[in-house]
Amino acid sequence: MKTVFINCSPKKRFCASAYFLFLQRLFVGGEKVTEKLRTPADNDRILGKLQGANAVVFGLPLYVDGIPSHVLRFMERMETYCKENGLRMSVYVIANNGFIEGKQNEPLMRTFENFCARSGLSWGGGVGIGGGVMLNVTRVLFVVQVGLLLLNTALSAVHTGNFFPVDAWISFGKSTAILLYFNLGVLFYLIRMGRFIRKGTPCGKKYTRILIPSFIFILFADIFFIVLSVFEGGIFRGWLAKKKVEER
Ligand SMILES: Cc1cc2nc3c(=O)[nH]c(=O)nc-3n(C[C@H](O)[C@H](O)[C@H](O)COP(=O)(O)O)c2cc1C
């Protein structure tokens, strides 16, 4: 069984789609091929990889309640390619969005469903994930925690000769449990979808999100974007920036 995973985020690195596809890969067996679709220059290479595939999993961000334009161009090419080559794989989708409700990915899922009907492919279904940016940050926090644990262990070994600092491990366990909790909805639905991908049957559309209350999400999202805004050009840059006078 061959599964092609296509990371459709236009970002060069640290995209949420890569994180969710990484998790999905863990729950799918057989031959696994991962490709990155960023620009039209990637189209032909990826189409070639679809030969002999039983399933293809698109991992992509939601853009303006829909599919990013470079992915739409790829889908147009894929439709023709699959028809010409008689390819009949199942198509699964992992879509993530910045706002908290994963249900916002519904129009995107429908577009994929229509694409499958038109291309003669089997619509396998998908998982729509809200709070994708924040969930992506949880993996960084996990790496930081592992780093802190290693540092604490090293310091404890040097100062006291103890290679197993219990307090540091308890603190690591607690923080990891919290991060895991945030990701539980995603993990549940990706494990579930992995089962269907392995069987080659449709799993329907499921929506989930980061497991925190919305008011906390909004607070953190506001802080995150204010900090980002300051680092990337100043606060309220759109409002206060000097406007260019349009030449007529
Ligand atoms: C041009 C653009 C449009 C976006 N539109 C939406 C949107 O309509 N709804 C939403 O919740 N998030 C929207 N987002 C946020 C992305 O979906 C979110 O940042 C996502 O986690 C990016 O995934 P990636 O890291 O895999 O690229 C938009 C982001 C960009 C850059």
Side-chain angles (χ1 to χ4, degrees), residues 55-66:
V56 52
V57 183
F58 285 88
L60 76 164
L62 179 74
Y63 275 8
V64 200
D65 285 341

Side-chain angles (χ1 to χ4, degrees), residues 2 5 21 49 53 59 94 101 122 125 138 148 179 190 195 200 238:
K2 176 180 173 184
F5 297 86
L21 282 176
K49 297 282 168 70
I94 305 170
E101 294 302 343
S122 308
T138 63
L148 284 176
L179 294 182
L190 292 187
R195 240 184 34 236

Side-chain angles (χ1 to χ4, degrees), residues 181-232:
Y181 173 75
F182 291 162
N183 282 270
L184 270 189
V186 171
L187 284 170
F188 176 80
Y189 283 118
L190 292 187
I191 291 172
R192 181 181 174 276
M193 190 155 89
R195 240 184 34 236
F196 285 92
I197 295 174
R198 287 198 300 274
K199 286 193 287 186
T201 52
C203 65
K205 293 172 283 184
K206 298 290 173 192
Y207 299 100
T208 183
R209 53 183 257 190
I210 184 166
L211 294 190
I212 55 172
S214 301
F215 71 94
I216 296 181
F217 176 86
I218 291 168
L219 191 73
F220 275 98
D222 284 351
I223 294 169
F224 177 76
F225 281 111
I226 288 172
V227 171
L228 200 71
S229 174
V230 169
F231 278 105
E232 294 200 353

Side-chain angles (χ1 to χ4, degrees), residues 29-229:
E31 185 189 349
K32 293 179 252 188
V33 176
T34 303
E35 284 294 333
K36 178 92 176 135
L37 172 62
R38 282 190 63 236
T39 70
D42 298 315
N43 289 357
D44 288 338
R45 188 192 73 250
I46 299 174
L47 289 175
K49 297 282 168 70
L50 297 180
Q51 291 284 351
N54 306 81
V56 52
V57 183
F58 285 88
L60 76 164
L62 179 74
Y63 275 8
V64 200
D65 285 341
I67 298 178
S69 59
H70 70 290
V71 186
L72 285 173
R73 297 290 90 78
F74 175 79
M75 288 160 75
E76 282 169 0
R77 292 282 317 278
M78 186 172 160
E79 178 190 332
T80 315
Y81 185 83
C82 288
K83 281 180 181 165
E84 283 174 1
N85 291 278
L87 303 186
R88 301 216 159 269
M89 78 271 300
S90 301
V91 174
Y92 299 86
V93 171
I94 305 170
N96 87 90
N97 61 303
F99 295 134
I100 193 160
E101 294 302 343
K103 186 82 187 166
Q104 290 192 356
N105 292 293
E106 172 65 20
L108 177 152
M109 293 288 177
R110 287 195 196 175
T111 314
F112 268 100
E113 206 168 344
N114 290 332
F115 156 73
C116 288
R118 204 182 153 102
S119 312
L121 302 172
S122 308
W123 168 235
V127 181
I129 302 166
V133 181
M134 213 176 264
L135 283 165
N136 196 26
V137 170
T138 63
R139 67 169 159 156
V140 181
L141 294 179
F142 179 69
V143 173
V144 171
Q145 282 166 13
V146 172
L148 284 176
L149 179 67
L150 292 176
L151 184 69
N152 277 325
T153 307
L155 288 175
S156 154
V158 169
H159 290 297
T160 63
N162 176 11
F163 281 86
F164 190 75
V166 177
D167 288 350
W169 275 93
I170 290 176
S171 156
F172 174 74
K174 279 185 193 162
S175 337
T176 305
I178 293 171
L179 294 182
L180 189 65
Y181 173 75
F182 291 162
N183 282 270
L184 270 189
V186 171
L187 284 170
F188 176 80
Y189 283 118
L190 292 187
I191 291 172
R192 181 181 174 276
M193 190 155 89
R195 240 184 34 236
F196 285 92
I197 295 174
R198 287 198 300 274
K199 286 193 287 186
T201 52
C203 65
K205 293 172 283 184
K206 298 290 173 192
Y207 299 100
T208 183
R209 53 183 257 190
I210 184 166
L211 294 190
I212 55 172
S214 301
F215 71 94
I216 296 181
F217 176 86
I218 291 168
L219 191 73
F220 275 98
D222 284 351
I223 294 169
F224 177 76
F225 281 111
I226 288 172
V227 171
L228 200 71
S229 174

